[in-house]
């Protein structure tokens, strides 16, 4: 039974995962809110991400920074000049669209990388008209995708909502380097919001105007990119790659880390992080290897400042393989830009190599909202036999790890015992209490938000001090002594985390 | 030895707590970044806050929402029309200021609540001139303190960065109520950013243009405000109050919860939450009772929609008692506003009381950045005897709970053992590893970022399998078997949390 994107969106809303922001006002295109289950899922993802990536090196740290930044920071980064989309406007009515999308749709021609002048020429050549009122279209212009914010009285001071979180760690780099051990590699991780005036926001949280990124910026000595001591331990690890050379057949090819270094001249430091990223998807997020791939971008596709760029892709039910993030070797592009505009020296003296240089940056970038969408998509299972949806979240991602149900509501001792057990479990686990409707209905509701374990308190509980644990995946139930409940759940939780 | 605010700011920066955002570009007034220690401190505060307030009721949930909201949401809330500051501009140069601040400074007269016309009249009467160029001042105007954000091509769709997080839960209320058990009280908690175009941002993170709020909005049946079952258990609790009637003597008076209800006609539901809030400050944040007070606002001071309003104040070294948050009984002001503008019914049918009504809202509001500043301020202690600053963070707030030091760097077995112990502890606790400089210097550095426990691995460790734990508060050291280290630290952590 296939489910349409609209049915999914409606289910995600009904279960409190995600829904349009400002919805009572008709929503706001490109903005979503997380309900009570979605918020827990998002936080769980963020915590897994932090635990994993911050622990790769004891010189990696998290920072938290303002979303609004100085105009000059975006002069330095190139966003002021280059973060633009081509736009087409009607000369009469208020129709407007992204020019490249419009032309691609009208002419079925790929115009990636075309200049505004080239796009205008195409429109004139084919005599394209406004699709709304059939009037003449104005020449193609460009629109900067950043949101300006004007500070102070009269908005005298121009600033911008950052279009990517990355610039915050770059601007913070020199200070953090001085505050820490003056040692490379230094990692600055940041989970925060970024903002883009997308012309066509779409597909729920896959392309929003306000979104959360989880990024790790690793500052390192470029002289050491080819030889990285930890590489040896991962050299035989098999990566799911789709390189530029694989495109004609469009198949994913398994290649060892060593093959990528030896056969494709990718640096050890870069490939090591490809390995760690794939391990995160497969071992931590539990994505089946067949649904994950590292997609290499070609020179036309990647940003000009990225020397190496692989997208991290997961296969979604509706959209196929979709970009979840990327591993970007941004060289010294950003720090050099900030040095030029701010006149602050970004060069450091590296004791270990006894040399001075501007560190290079390896960026591990993850779209958090995309991951939440992906986790919802991967977990969703409309089970015909049970007659309800099951969300197969792994226990470390599930919004609620357990639920407590009193079998009936009209027996005060039984309700009191259930409330006591709930209060106890709630101090250790993310837990919820549900006293209403039939047990079958309560199991179904728990399945729908992906609760791994449901604990039912029944008449036997009062007599024998036992409760029933029901497993979401198997629906099997087993009796457990109440005194052993918390430690048994802890074991279940830890073993699911260990299966990584 | 008194420390100036400038010295404090410099210390907070040097230790990676907080520093101006976009600093390499000269900073941006009213914007701060959190470094690696500040980020951990902020997250610890947020987690304590969530654990405490979400657990007050099993019908309280956290949500996470977009920072940019529909223009109409702020028409409904009143911010479009009323969230304004009076502004004065010079007729010649580009001097501008908040009109009320300017007049208060020039005339030493309190002009709170004056209209723009009244302020203009005062300026003309006293013939006040531009302080920069001595020219004529223009009539006072008003400036809306929200930041507009224009969406889409040509910025056709006007939206705003929210000036308070509260409006997000209000806009989400009806849906969340339907998704949950349709039961009151329903609590929606949100930790997120808010944005205000403050004319005079100042005092580090005490008044910023971009800031984080932690708020709990409780939707409840107004018929039940005076009788609240849980009140009985707290009625003898003593609250640190400064009521309007205490202002002449300006002293804090201890009053029991019951006294506030009986003697001052405050509702039980409201006073119960005053108690829970004070307990949070004293038992969880460990603020000495003498430095905390609940400050009642008078009718002129409180927002017109607040029926009851107490500020939550903590005494800061430099600024005296300072607003950290507030408990606001906002009645049905917000939901009614959203109902009027959105035409969505906010009225619900309450089964328990068999009646229909628009729920009322009790808002528990906390400024997160202010709390971080307060925790820094309260913990700071420039200790003459030790010759270094000690940050006396409670263990549940400390950025790092423990640190591991190898005594020397030139003995590989010793370094390997220290690294192993660090790796082990780092999976359980927030821990850092510091192998450089003398042990004394390392203890001092740990004191300066408030690490409660430092573990030193020395030559004895290799022979006897023991390590030394040093206590930040007493500087006492004790030998511990390595096998008992983790469980001992766990006990220390738990016992500090229990002392609440």
């Amino acid at each position: 039974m296939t489910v349409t994107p609209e049915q999914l969106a409606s289910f995600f809303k009904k279960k409190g995962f995600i829904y349009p922001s400002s919805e009572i006002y008709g929503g706001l295109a490109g903005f979503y809110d997380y309900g009570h289950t979605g918020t827990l899922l998002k936080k769980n993802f963020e915590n897994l991400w932090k635990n994993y990536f911050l622990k790769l090196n004891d010189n990696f740290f998290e920072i938290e920074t303002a979303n609004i930044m100085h105009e000059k920071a975006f002069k330095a980064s190139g966003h002021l000049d280059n973060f633009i989309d081509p736009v087409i406007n009607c000369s009469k009515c208020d129709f407007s669209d992204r020019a490249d999308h419009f032309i691609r749709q009208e002419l079925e021609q790929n115009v990636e990388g075309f200049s505004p002048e080239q796009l205008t020429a195409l429109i004139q050549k084919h005599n394209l008209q406004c699709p709304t009122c059939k009037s003449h279209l104005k020449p193609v212009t460009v629109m900067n995708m950043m949101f300006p914010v004007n500070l102070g009285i009269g908005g005298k001071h121009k600033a911008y909502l950052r279009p990517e979180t990355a610039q915050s760690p770059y601007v913070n780099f020199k200070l953090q380097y001085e505050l820490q051990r003056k040692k490379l590699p230094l990692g600055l991780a940041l989970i925060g919001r970024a903002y883009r005036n997308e012309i066509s926001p779409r597909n729920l949280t896959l392309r929003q105007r306000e979104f959360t990124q989880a990024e790790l910026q690793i500052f390192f000595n470029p002289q050491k990119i080819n030889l990285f001591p930890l590489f040896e331990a991962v050299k035989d690890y098999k990566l799911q790659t789709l390189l530029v050379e694989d495109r004609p057949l469009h198949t994913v090819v398994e290649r060892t880390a060593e093959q990528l270094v030896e056969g494709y001249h990718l640096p050890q430091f870069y490939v090591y992080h490809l390995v760690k990223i794939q391990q995160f998807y497969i071992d931590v997020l539990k994505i089946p290897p067949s649904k994950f791939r590292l997609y290499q971008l070609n020179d036309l596709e990647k940003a000009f400042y990225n020397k190496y760029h692989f997208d991290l892709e997961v296969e979604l039910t509706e959209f196929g393989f979709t970009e979840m993030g990327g591993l970007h070797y941004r060289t010294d592009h950003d720090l050099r830009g900030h040095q030029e505009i701010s006149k602050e020296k970004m060069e450091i003296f590296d004791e270990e190599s006894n040399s001075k240089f501007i560190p290079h940056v390896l960026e591990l970038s993850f779209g958090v909202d995309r991951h939440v969408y992906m986790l919802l998509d991967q977990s969703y299972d409309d089970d015909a036999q049970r007659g309800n949806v099951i969300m197969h979240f792994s226990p470390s991602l599930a919004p609620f790890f357990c639920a407590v149900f009193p079998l009936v509501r009209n027996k005060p001792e039984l309700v009191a015992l259930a409330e006591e057990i709930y209060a106890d479990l709630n101090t250790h686990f993310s837990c919820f209490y549900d006293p209403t409707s039939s047990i079958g209905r309560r199991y179904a509701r728990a399945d729908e938000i992906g609760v791994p374990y449901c604990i039912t308190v029944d008449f036997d509980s009062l007599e024998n001090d036992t409760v029933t644990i029901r497993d979401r995946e198997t629906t099997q139930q087993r009796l457990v002594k109440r005194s052993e409940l918390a430690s048994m759940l802890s074991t279940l939780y830890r073993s699911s985390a260990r299966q990584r």
Side-chain angles (χ1 to χ4, degrees), chain A:
Chain A
M1 197 161 54
T2 46
V3 60
T4 66
E6 291 71 27
Q7 284 170 321
L8 267 191
S10 152
F11 176 80
F12 294 160
K13 175 180 167 184
K14 196 173 139 202
K15 292 295 147 187
F17 290 111
I18 46 173
Y19 41 80
S21 189
S22 293
E23 201 182 22
I24 61 171
Y25 295 105
L28 209 51
F31 296 87
Y32 279 83
D33 285 355
Y34 289 88
H36 60 293
T37 49
T39 299
L40 290 166
L41 178 63
K42 184 171 188 241
K43 304 278 179 214
N44 286 346
F45 170 79
E46 291 174 356
N47 285 333
L48 287 180
W49 186 90
K50 272 201 272 187
N51 277 334
Y52 183 87
F53 287 102
L54 281 175
K55 294 212 165 140
L56 290 181
N57 187 312
D58 67 10
N59 205 33
F60 288 2
F61 301 92
E62 188 186 5
I63 60 172
E64 196 184 306
T65 62
N67 293 341
I68 293 176
M69 294 177 70
H70 203 288
E71 181 172 32
K72 282 187 180 165
F74 302 112
K75 182 69 190 165
S77 69
H79 285 93
L80 259 188
D81 297 326
N82 304 320
F83 195 58
I84 48 179
D85 269 347
V87 164
I88 188 83
N89 283 286
C90 175
S91 59
K92 287 242 172 72
C93 75
D94 74 347
F95 166 80
S96 55
D97 197 1
R98 253 184 79 157
D100 51 344
H101 289 182
F102 174 72
I103 294 172
R104 192 163 60 213
Q105 209 169 356
E106 295 286 316
L107 305 179
E108 288 174 14
Q109 179 180 345
N110 184 5
V111 291
E112 188 141 347
F114 277 40
S115 69
E117 293 73 25
Q118 289 173 303
L119 295 172
T120 303
L122 266 178
I123 286 171
Q124 288 167 347
K125 179 175 161 201
H126 293 277
N127 198 22
L128 298 181
Q129 309 289 349
C130 168
T132 307
C133 75
K134 305 292 167 207
S135 301
H136 178 64
L137 290 166
K138 290 197 224 171
V140 172
T141 53
V142 294
M143 174 182 108
N144 195 297
M145 290 170 72
M146 289 198 291
F147 289 114
V149 175
N150 301 313
L151 309 177
I153 297 175
K156 282 177 204 160
H157 305 283
K158 202 161 189 181
Y160 288 90
L161 283 163
R162 64 185 174 201
E164 58 174 13
T165 59
Q167 296 306 321
S168 296
Y170 301 155
V171 163
N172 273 269
F173 162 71
K174 193 67 186 297
L175 176 63
Q176 281 291 324
Y177 179 79
E178 302 287 343
L179 297 182
Q180 309 286 1
R181 274 165 260 174
K182 302 191 173 57
K183 206 184 95 179
L184 296 181
L186 168 67
L188 294 180
L190 194 155
I191 297 181
R193 302 274 171 119
Y195 298 80
R196 295 180 184 176
N197 195 2
E198 294 282 356
I199 295 173
S200 323
R202 62 189 175 280
N203 301 342
L204 290 172
T205 58
L206 288 179
R207 186 171 298 279
Q208 295 184 99
R209 285 171 167 162
E210 173 177 349
F211 52 99
T212 301
Q213 294 186 303
E215 298 194 324
L216 172 63
Q217 312 294 334
I218 306 176
F219 303 86
F220 67 98
N221 179 348
Q223 295 296 321
K224 298 190 176 178
I225 194 167
N226 286 314
L227 278 176
F228 184 59
L230 297 177
F231 182 78
E232 182 63 21
V234 304
K235 70 179 168 40
D236 297 324
Y237 186 84
K238 293 194 179 98
L239 292 155
Q240 305 288 117
T241 57
L242 201 152
L243 304 186
V244 171
E245 69 170 43
D246 303 324
R247 294 205 191 175
L249 294 172
H250 207 70
T251 50
V252 171
V253 178
E254 259 193 5
R255 294 178 172 95
T256 65
E258 193 164 35
Q259 279 176 312
L260 287 183
V261 170
E262 300 295 327
Y264 299 89
H265 308 295
L266 289 168
Q268 286 189 359
F269 191 68
Y270 187 86
V271 175
Y272 172 80
H273 288 94
L274 283 180
V275 170
K276 289 291 140 189
I277 285 169
Q278 180 171 316
Q279 288 173 339
F280 175 69
Y281 280 92
I282 293 172
D283 301 339
V284 179
L285 300 183
K286 320 276 191 195
I287 304 304
S290 64
K291 294 198 164 190
F292 176 80
R293 74 182 187 195
L294 297 160
Y295 187 89
Q296 185 182 35
L297 267 63
N298 67 31
D299 288 345
L300 273 177
E301 293 161 338
K302 65 185 170 61
F304 71 93
Y305 50 79
N306 278 339
K307 187 157 174 195
Y308 303 112
H309 181 154
F310 277 71
D311 276 346
L312 323 172
E313 298 189 337
V314 174
E315 189 174 14
L316 301 179
T317 309
E318 181 69 20
F319 307 107
F321 276 99
T322 304
E323 176 194 350
M324 293 288 120
L327 179 64
H328 312 135
Y329 174 27
R330 295 177 73 135
T331 71
D332 61 359
H333 167 75
D334 299 279
L335 290 187
R336 189 172 290 281
H338 287 298
Q339 174 171 287
E340 271 171 35
I341 303 293
S342 74
K343 311 295 174 207
E344 286 272 339
K345 275 250 173 290
M346 292 296 152
E347 205 175 57
I348 57 126
F349 176 75
D350 180 47
E351 272 185 31
E352 216 179 320
S353 61
N354 196 29
S355 57
K356 276 175 98 171
F357 54 85
I358 295 180
H360 281 211
V361 170
L362 185 65
E363 172 182 67
L364 288 70
S365 175
F366 298 77
V368 175
D369 311 280
R370 292 180 175 195
H371 281 81
V372 174
Y373 180 90
M374 180 271 280
L375 293 167
L376 288 169
D377 175 89
Q378 299 292 302
S379 306
Y380 183 90
D381 173 15
D382 194 348
D383 189 279
Q385 211 183 332
R386 288 195 210 176
N388 60 257
V389 168
I390 310 165
M391 295 299 285
H392 295 285
F393 297 126
S394 77
S396 47
L397 281 162
F400 294 99
F401 178 67
C402 54
V404 176
F405 306 151
L407 183 67
V408 295
R409 295 173 82 180
N410 55 7
K411 202 169 163 72
E413 317 94 274
L414 196 152
V415 170
L417 180 62
E419 284 176 352
E420 198 186 304
I421 290 173
Y422 163 69
D424 178 38
L425 293 181
N426 200 28
T427 63
H428 303 293
F429 307 104
S430 174
C431 185
F432 81 96
Y433 182 74
D434 186 355
T436 57
S437 48
S438 74
I439 280 293
R441 188 67 209 108
R442 278 182 269 178
Y443 283 152
R445 281 205 295 257
D447 282 349
E448 286 169 349
I449 57 170
V451 182
Y453 301 103
C454 294
I455 291 115
T456 302
V457 178
D458 58 19
F459 298 103
D460 280 354
S461 307
L462 292 173
E463 285 184 17
N464 307 327
D465 219 28
T466 54
V467 296
T468 306
I469 297 195
R470 181 252 198 189
D471 184 309
R472 180 193 69 204
E473 294 300 291
T474 63
T475 71
Q476 277 178 0
Q477 304 183 14
R478 48 180 161 172
L479 274 182
V480 184
K481 278 226 169 299
R482 199 199 142 185
S483 57
E484 291 162 12
L485 180 61
S487 75
M488 182 179 176
L489 286 170
S490 294
T491 308
L492 287 168
Y493 187 84
R494 279 201 307 272
S495 76
S496 77
R498 248 207 313 279
Q499 278 164 23
R500 290 175 190 180

